[in-house]
Amino acid sequence: MTGLTLRTMRADALRLLLSALAVVLGVAFVAGTLILTDGMKRGAYERAGVFDRHTDVAVNAGEDPIPPALVERVRAVDGVRAAAGELTGSGGVVGSDGRPVLGYAVVAAIPTEAALQSYDVVAGRLPQRTGEVVLDAPTVAEEGFVLGGPVRVGGSGGAARAYTLVGTVDVAGTARDVGGPFIGLAGPDALAVTQQEGYGRIMVAAAPGVPAAELTGRVAAVAGGGVTVQDRRAVLDAAVDDAVRDLRQFNLLLLTFAAVAVVVAGFVIANTFAIVLAQRTRRTALLRLVGATRGQVLRATLLEAAATGLAASALGVAVGAGVAVGLDALLAAFDVPMAGAGIAVTASTVLVCLLLGTVLTVASAAVPAWRGSRVAPVAALTDAAVHATRGAGRVRLAVGALVLAAGAAALGSAGVVGQLPLVAAGGVLAFFGIVLFGPVLVPALVRLLGVPARRLFGATAGLAVANAVRNPRRIAATATALVIGIGLVSAFVVGAGSAKASIERVVDREIGVDVVVVGVGGSLPGPLVDELAARPELGVVHELRGRVSDGVELRTAHPALVGRTLTAVDAGDAGRLGPGRVLVHRELARARGWSVGDTVTLAGQPFTVAAVVAAGSALAGGSVPAGHVVDVVDADFSRLFPAERGHLAEIDPAAGVSAERAREVVESVVARYPTANLVDQATYKKSLTGTIDMVLAFVVALLGLAVVIALVGVANTLSLSVVERTRENAVLRAVGLTRGRMRAMLAVEAVLTALVGAVLGVGLGTGVGAGAMAVVTRLSGEFTLVLPWGRLGLVLLVAVLAALAASVLPARRALARPIVASLGD
């Protein structure tokens, strides 16, 4: 039987080719992910601790930052050679053209003591005193800065000031490489730029001959409570953990999408073996007739699956290495941290991928193999079994209908109960319902969608519909493979479209002016708002700030702007907002029984309720229930929370000043603050929604492989069906069906199959997206369902075009043999 199985594989190699391609693609995704992340991990381990090469002891801050005075006390400990405070924060660099250098900039405190300086210097030296700065080499090259020249650096502490550039450093591939500039300053300068109250840790170098354990104890005794003291081994271990933490999450994300591709490949493989074994019915029956047992037939089929899976997996690993190289280059081009480190092909990755592909193929082929082994010897005497079209059993259909209904009910009720897990459960149940009920649902949809096709192509489309639905299980399995990928794509498309539309709607309502100044990577620098407010050309300068106190979110509001953002005034007069008078949102007023004229206590101070109003939630959700908000004027908020800063300021020109002149004034002020940007409302919306577009593109690209594998399944099913219908197609050609109509018939069959899968996928994905949006709306009151018909239509169009392409090779195969030779089969 082993020899016979190998000869059968050689004879049927073409029939298994597309099935093997599904395995290759699925394994390549997994292998590429593992090879890429292994390379990143290797680079991360090599760069871990790069800033701690000379750190023997570290004092890490607890809940509160480390005051500079503690650094001095640690420096005075017996056995300490050098000690320095370290912190990281955000800042900005003013470029050579006078504009801020784009990108999120990291500010780090660099030790001025040579015994602790561990940075890789490209040119010049590291700072030795305050007033000196080092930048990453790419930023210096791009901006044309020169060593010894001035570089203006600023942050939340105030306007940019000039520092002397003394060197350039290499931080590529480290935790301080985030795609934007790297700014290295002496400790006091870093504190001033970032406006932080203290350091994140203290780095300590031991004097020669001092045991590390002994020095750790001495430092711990001086440091006191509230901090953690680590020796060198613990410092390096923590650096490794930090280096690979995000990498593990990235690896898990990629493997999640790879799992989707593998599951789709499993559907394709199972369907392929079911078709191939059905076409071998007579051959199998003859084997049974001459004495082969059911067990031998089953083992032979599983051996065939294992050999196919192993060969395809080996090719998948090779393709995966190429995929990893391409992904690494792509990520490096986009300045993604830890990218560009190369790839690492390990024995464990190869073994895992070979095992995965082989097990996947054998497991997917197990049920078709078991069914194939049940062929009775008498089937060798009839043609009936060769064209078996047995539908699904009643139990399966009944269970499928119930599961599908349960999934739909779960998706419909998720918004009512406000539970996201119910959305996930509903999506899974609905998918399995489609799988089980597919033999009835899919053919019915094919017939329905075939109606317009018949009107366009006449009898040719009628033949295509009849061919597609003659085996309900086969077409259901083929279409179902598409449902997974397209369903997930549609869910993300609906979710992203709804989120973008909701954010834009909130901006329109919450932002009462067209020009705003936003902080880059954090809050606005404190002096910036005061400087803008002092300019006579500007009539309104309002900094949006918020703070939660006693279960209430206090927000700043400007009397001249508040009327533009309110949706309703339930009681009182919103125009009376002023010092000592506040606007209470209706949900909070109802919850606490507050009404107009009441005196309420907020953050320990009394205020009078001027009006009860209705308005949307803020752009960034808080930790209080929806609507538990009070609007106060800027002066009262500053009195309550003087250190609280906002990330956005609204600006209106003064009376008689044109918008263009006001913008010029704002630009002249903002130019000295590299951590602030002047944007109009449209640009601000784009900045908030740009990440959504980027994530959506990334997700669709990853899920695209699952859709490609499913379309391979469509081509595979059509190719095998052409083999099965060789004599039938020859008869059609003999009675006058032209070559063009034969191609059209197969194209219509492929398109209908793919279109049904795509329609079901879009429907499932839309249901999941709608359920998720309903839950989010219930929790936040802001997000509403928006169906991006254009993008969903594009998904269907891509599926149709891909199906047309998938029909080319089967059509060529159907027309390759002469009619007479085909009639003799």
Side-chain angles (χ1 to χ4, degrees):
M1 288 297 293
T2 301
L4 178 61
T5 300
L6 295 177
R7 288 193 294 273
T8 300
M9 288 183 62
R10 286 195 296 270
D12 290 342
L14 290 177
R15 299 190 185 190
L16 296 173
L17 180 60
L18 288 177
S19 175
L21 180 58
V23 179
V24 169
L25 294 176
V27 171
F29 199 161
V30 176
T33 297
L34 295 177
I35 292 171
L36 173 66
T37 52
D38 282 344
M40 288 183 170
K41 187 180 298 183
R42 181 185 61 188
Y45 278 119
E46 291 174 353
R47 299 304 297 264
V50 65
F51 306 118
D52 285 306
R53 287 193 290 261
H54 305 302
T55 303
D56 297 309
V57 178
V59 181
N60 298 304
E63 296 181 0
D64 299 320
I66 296 174
L70 180 57
V71 179
E72 299 300 327
R73 293 201 301 271
V74 170
R75 185 177 287 129
V77 171
D78 184 30
V80 171
R81 181 184 179 188
E86 185 187 52
L87 65 87
T88 57
S90 62
V93 178
V94 178
S96 55
D97 60 355
R99 298 177 178 274
V101 178
L102 298 179
Y104 180 83
V106 172
V107 174
I110 294 182
T112 55
E113 296 89 342
L116 285 170
Q117 292 181 333
S118 300
Y119 283 77
D120 295 325
V121 178
V122 177
R125 59 174 175 80
L126 295 175
Q128 295 177 351
R129 61 188 63 86
T130 57
E132 297 180 341
V133 65
V134 294
L135 300 176
D136 61 292
T139 297
V140 172
E142 291 170 6
E143 295 297 325
F145 295 138
V146 295
L147 295 183
V151 174
R152 295 169 61 203
V153 174
S156 58
R161 54 157 289 194
Y163 293 83
T164 302
L165 180 65
V166 296
T168 62
V169 294
D170 176 20
V171 295
T174 69
R176 294 172 192 179
D177 175 21
V178 295
F182 169 80
I183 306 167
L185 297 166
D189 288 339
L191 287 172
V193 168
T194 61
Q195 203 69 10
Q196 296 188 28
E197 297 179 357
Y199 296 104
R201 69 171 183 159
I202 303 174
M203 307 163 65
V204 179
V210 178
E214 183 177 336
L215 182 61
T216 301
R218 295 177 188 173
V219 171
V222 172
V227 298
T228 303
V229 181
Q230 296 176 317
D231 60 16
R232 178 171 180 76
R233 180 74 272 163
V235 169
L236 294 179
D237 289 344
V240 170
D241 289 340
D242 288 339
V244 300
R245 182 182 298 112
D246 292 339
L247 183 56
R248 291 193 190 102
Q249 296 175 353
F250 181 64
N251 186 32
L252 181 61
L253 174 66
L254 290 182
L255 287 178
T256 300
F257 289 104
V260 174
V262 168
V263 170
V264 174
F267 274 89
V268 173
I269 297 164
N271 197 36
T272 300
F273 271 92
I275 298 172
V276 170
L277 293 177
Q279 293 174 356
R280 291 182 190 167
T281 300
R282 180 177 293 176
R283 186 188 306 174
T284 303
L286 286 172
L287 289 174
R288 295 290 315 283
L289 194 64
V290 298
T293 65
R294 289 178 174 176
Q296 286 177 313
V297 172
L298 176 62
R299 288 192 293 273
T301 304
L302 294 180
L303 174 61
E304 182 179 355
T308 302
L310 183 61
S313 300
L315 181 58
V317 172
V319 174
V323 170
V325 171
L327 281 175
D328 187 53
L330 180 63
L331 295 175
F334 282 96
D335 294 326
V336 174
M338 294 184 291
I343 64 173
V345 182
T346 63
S348 60
T349 294
V350 174
L351 182 61
V352 166
C353 291
L354 292 177
L355 185 62
L356 172 66
T358 304
V359 171
L360 170 68
T361 309
V362 172
S364 301
V367 174
W370 180 83
R371 288 176 179 166
S373 68
R374 317 305 291 176
V375 175
V378 73
L381 305 177
T382 178
D383 288 338
V386 178
H387 302 289
T389 59
R390 182 170 61 90
R394 294 182 178 179
V395 174
R396 169 180 171 170
L397 295 178
V399 172
L402 291 174
V403 172
L404 182 58
L411 291 175
S413 61
V416 177
V417 299
Q419 293 292 326
L420 278 176
L422 193 58
V423 176
V428 172
L429 288 174
F431 170 72
F432 280 111
I434 291 173
V435 172
L436 295 173
F437 198 63
V440 169
L441 180 62
V442 173
L445 289 176
V446 169
R447 292 188 181 95
L448 178 63
L449 295 177
V451 172
R454 286 193 186 97
R455 294 179 180 177
L456 289 174
F457 301 103
T460 302
L463 289 172
V465 173
N467 286 333
V469 301
R470 69 169 59 185
N471 194 316
R473 285 191 174 191
R474 179 181 302 180
I475 190 174
T478 305
T480 299
L482 267 172
V483 172
I484 304 174
I486 291 183
L488 290 172
V489 168
S490 301
F492 279 101
V493 165
V494 171
S498 300
K500 284 186 62 177
S502 300
I503 289 174
E504 290 172 351
R505 197 161 43 244
V506 170
V507 171
D508 289 335
R509 185 178 62 245
E510 294 290 331
I511 306 301
V513 298
D514 185 57
V515 176
V516 296
V517 175
V518 296
V520 179
S523 301
L524 291 170
L528 170 62
V529 177
D530 294 334
E531 190 171 341
L532 289 170
R535 296 300 298 260
E537 299 90 346
L538 306 179
V540 173
V541 177
H542 171 53
E543 183 181 8
L544 294 181
R545 292 176 286 172
R547 180 74 174 265
V548 175
S549 176
D550 298 327
V552 176
E553 183 177 1
L554 278 74
R555 293 190 204 154
T556 57
H558 197 286
L561 300 177
V562 68
R564 305 181 191 179
T565 59
L566 295 178
T567 58
V569 178
D570 294 349
D573 181 7
R576 297 189 62 203
L577 173 68
R581 294 190 297 272
V582 299
L583 305 181
V584 178
H585 289 222
R586 65 163 61 135
E587 292 84 358
L588 178 62
R590 291 172 182 171
R592 303 201 177 182
W594 293 349
S595 59
V596 175
D598 289 351
T599 299
V600 298
T601 300
L602 302 170
Q605 297 295 322
F607 291 90
T608 301
V609 178
V612 176
V613 300
S617 300
L619 294 173
S623 57
V624 299
H628 282 229
V629 178
V630 172
D631 293 324
V632 301
V633 294
D634 291 327
D636 285 341
F637 189 93
S638 298
R639 179 168 51 86
L640 295 174
F641 311 108
E644 193 72 35
R645 307 308 317 172
H647 72 283
L648 181 147
E650 300 174 294
I651 300 171
D652 253 355
V657 178
S658 67
E660 292 75 12
R661 174 56 184 159
R663 188 181 182 93
E664 291 174 359
V665 170
V666 175
E667 285 179 341
S668 66
V669 174
V670 172
R672 296 186 291 106
Y673 293 86
T675 58
N677 275 342
L678 170 64
V679 296
D680 56 26
Q681 195 174 108
T683 304
Y684 182 56
K685 289 179 184 177
K686 188 174 181 180
S687 70
L688 294 176
T689 60
T691 302
I692 297 177
D693 288 330
M694 182 178 64
V695 171
L696 178 61
F698 180 70
V699 168
V700 170
L702 293 179
L703 289 174
L705 183 60
V707 177
V708 169
I709 294 173
L711 290 169
V712 167
V714 173
N716 198 19
T717 300
L718 195 58
S719 295
L720 295 174
S721 297
V722 165
V723 174
E724 188 175 85
R725 301 196 301 256
T726 299
R727 184 180 299 177
E728 178 183 326
N729 290 337
V731 172
L732 291 173
R733 292 173 61 195
V735 298
L737 189 69
T738 65
R739 299 174 70 90
R741 286 187 175 275
M742 175 66 74
R743 292 190 182 95
M745 181 183 72
L746 294 174
V748 170
E749 183 178 351
V751 167
L752 287 176
T753 302
L755 191 56
V756 168
V759 167
L760 288 174
V762 168
L764 176 61
T766 301
V768 171
M773 286 300 104
V775 172
V776 175
T777 299
R778 178 176 175 82
L779 297 178
S780 69
E782 279 302 324
F783 289 87
T784 55
L785 177 65
V786 175
L787 295 180
W789 296 110
R791 289 187 174 183
L792 294 177
L794 182 61
V795 171
L796 296 177
L797 179 61
V798 169
V800 169
L801 294 178
L804 286 173
S807 70
V808 173
L809 289 179
R812 182 177 298 177
R813 185 172 187 176
L815 297 170
R817 297 189 66 187
I819 296 176
V820 175
S822 298
L823 288 172
D825 288 343

